[in-house]
Amino acid sequence: MTAPVVLGIDLATSAARVVAVDADSGAQLGFLGAPLHNRDAASGTAARQRPDYPAVVRRLLSDTVAALGPRAADIAALSVTGTSGTVVPLGADGAPVGDAVLYNDMSAGDFAARLDAAGYPAGPGSVAARLAMLAQLPGVARLAFTPDVVLGDLAGGPVPSDTSHALKAGIDPQLRSWPAGLTESGLVPAGLLGPLMHPGRRVGSVADEVAAALALPAGVALVSGMTDGCGAQIAAGAVDVGDTMGVLGTTLVIKGVADARVESADGAVYSHYAPDGHWWPGGASNSGAGVLAGTVAQRELAALDTAAAELGPARSLRYPLPGVGERFPVADAAMTDWAVGTPTTAVEAHRSVLEGVAFVERLGLERLAALGVRLGEHRIVGGATRSSTWNRIRATVLGRPVRLVGAAGSGHGAAALAAATLLEVPLAELTRRWAGIPTIVHPDLDQIAALDASYRSWCEALQQHSALAAAH
């Protein structure tokens, strides 16, 4: 008898992906992707996406079934992961009535001010402000997150929001409750907020008519998911107390595992409630590989990486940011990209970005440690780990070996969550079963001292630049 097949659906910043995995072994059986379409913003504060998630995912599922051939009959469960804090307004029929407002949208400043005036503190880039803004749209019947839209379409009706994607709305993830202050503000009616469910719980099945249209088996289980950062954490196997990880893609996510909830007063550090009752503290920086996307052509990256490795530590320092605002390891809505010193060549400029993101990672881990999070093995995952130069710089800045985990995308983590629920096994046990052999990335011993000195200078400069940004 063949093992069940589970699917992980990843709704990323610019693409949707479906990964098919053997539930017993963790072997990847298929992977397909398709672009998602971001709107051209009229201002630098707006970040919107065309909300055609159901149509895109249906096409991918249909193609996945065709690609799997006979194994498609073994598909038994799926889960969905998406970017944290992206909100979609839905009508009474479950279809979107406006664009998705992305995690980095800063256009809800007026509604943040109105929430503040009503006694519910919220920043212009907060999920609460986005919810308040979208609640005013004509025809809106529910405010949802991207996985809700896809799961609801597959189920043929609404499903609960998982507490992971809803976390930054200020919910209590353990009690599964929305914040009273948000609904009492008068800007976000309670009727627009759906029920909440912990991650890793069955919330329904693919509707019969949808299964027939996509050639899926009957009764495929729909499992409540977690955010893309958490999905990557699951895929990397960083689910035991003391494990930490850095997910480097468009942005940088730093996460750990703790017995108790860990949060910071400024909101930069927050904790997801894990399926097994542990807490996953961490934060998401706006810094990351996305900074390179707008300045360096893909074909030039490999050559720049090679030259940057040969160059050694940069003489200039940089905090790489793609726009206005930073979330973690500092929470500063006004901070922008800054540099100390001017690179003399394009190679040094590139190297300063690689080092700057690595400095953000180290500061993020140090901040978690200061809050009581135990730091053990550190894993690195994400699309940017294709750069061996960047991996080596990250290990050198941290001053210790790191574990590079293969096949550790967010979609793979969503598939693992679906498999653990389907097979009724603890998530930690399943991730150990699925784990491959990681690549150990060692630091460059000849550069540790120089990069440590650069990091300390960078931290001093950060204090000054963050204070200046806050003053303005």
Side-chain angles (χ1 to χ4, degrees):
M1 182 176 179
T2 57
V5 173
V6 289
L7 305 179
I9 300 172
D10 180 14
L11 304 175
T13 305
S14 59
R17 309 177 185 101
V18 174
V19 59
V21 182
D22 182 289
D24 283 348
S25 68
Q28 182 171 303
L29 305 175
F31 181 90
L32 292 171
L36 294 173
H37 303 285
N38 293 342
R39 302 290 194 189
D40 291 329
S43 73
T45 62
R48 309 292 169 84
Q49 192 170 68
R50 198 167 74 200
D52 51 0
Y53 310 110
V56 172
V57 169
R58 283 196 181 207
R59 286 196 299 271
L60 287 174
L61 288 176
S62 180
D63 291 346
T64 296
V65 168
L68 288 175
R71 286 304 306 271
D74 300 322
I75 296 173
L78 65 84
S79 189
V80 184
T81 182
T83 53
S84 176
T86 295
V87 184
V88 188
L90 303 180
D93 60 354
V97 294
D99 282 346
V101 182
L102 297 176
Y103 67 93
N104 58 341
D105 185 276
M106 300 291 288
S107 65
D110 290 347
F111 292 93
R114 291 170 64 181
L115 285 169
D116 284 338
Y120 189 82
S126 67
V127 176
R130 272 174 237 143
L131 291 171
M133 177 176 67
L134 293 177
Q136 316 309 313
L137 290 178
V140 65
R142 183 183 172 190
L143 299 170
F145 304 96
T146 50
D148 307 338
V149 181
V150 169
L151 290 174
D153 175 68
L154 295 176
V159 299
S161 297
D162 66 79
T163 58
S164 182
H165 287 91
L167 179 67
K168 292 182 183 177
I171 68 163
D172 185 315
Q174 193 169 23
L175 298 179
R176 297 185 291 122
S177 60
W178 293 92
L182 179 62
T183 54
E184 291 169 357
S185 69
L187 292 170
V188 184
L192 297 185
L193 304 174
L196 296 169
M197 180 63 69
H198 289 142
R201 307 294 192 269
R202 183 166 179 159
V203 293
S205 301
V206 175
D208 290 343
E209 62 274 19
V210 177
L214 301 178
L216 284 168
V220 174
L222 302 176
V223 176
S224 55
M226 300 189 79
T227 62
D228 52 1
C230 292
Q233 182 172 357
I234 295 169
V239 296
D240 289 320
V241 174
D243 292 340
T244 63
M245 65 170 300
V247 189
L248 182 52
T250 303
T251 60
L252 174 67
V253 178
I254 305 293
K255 301 187 72 65
V257 183
D259 288 319
R261 191 174 187 176
V262 177
E263 294 180 320
S264 62
D266 62 2
V269 178
Y270 51 89
S271 288
H272 287 264
Y273 189 67
D276 62 1
H278 281 121
W279 294 89
W280 293 354
S285 171
N286 288 334
S287 185
V291 175
L292 296 174
T295 59
V296 181
Q298 188 68 34
R299 64 182 180 275
E300 299 173 358
L301 282 174
L304 282 171
D305 277 358
T306 299
E310 295 172 352
L311 175 69
R315 295 181 180 180
S316 56
L317 306 173
R318 185 172 173 188
Y319 197 117
L321 287 172
V324 178
E326 175 59 308
R327 301 173 290 166
F328 171 82
V330 294
D332 188 338
M335 195 167 80
T336 57
D337 185 297
W338 57 260
V340 176
T342 303
T344 57
T345 65
V347 173
E348 186 185 2
H350 182 66
R351 172 88 190 204
S352 70
V353 172
L354 305 187
E355 291 179 6
V357 175
F359 294 158
V360 173
E361 184 169 27
R362 176 171 167 178
L363 182 59
L365 289 171
E366 290 178 354
R367 179 139 200 215
L368 292 183
L371 292 169
V373 177
R374 180 157 61 89
L375 306 184
E377 290 185 339
H378 187 62
R379 294 164 168 83
I380 59 172
V381 297
T385 57
R386 288 189 293 267
S387 169
S388 59
T389 296
W390 210 345
N391 296 339
R392 190 82 182 276
I393 289 172
R394 292 168 71 183
T396 306
V397 167
L398 294 178
R400 58 191 175 95
V402 298
R403 300 166 72 89
L404 172 62
V405 183
S410 300
H412 205 84
L417 194 57
T421 304
L422 176 72
L423 301 177
E424 299 182 337
V425 299
L427 188 59
E429 177 184 325
L430 184 98
T431 56
R432 283 192 293 269
R433 184 192 305 176
W434 282 20
I437 300 175
T439 300
I440 306 301
V441 180
H442 294 278
D444 186 328
L445 299 180
D446 294 332
Q447 295 184 12
I448 285 181
L451 285 177
D452 184 67
S454 294
Y455 172 70
R456 297 184 187 285
S457 297
W458 179 88
C459 286
E460 293 174 2
L462 172 61
Q463 290 183 334
Q464 178 182 2
H465 281 87
S466 184
L468 287 172
H472 291 80

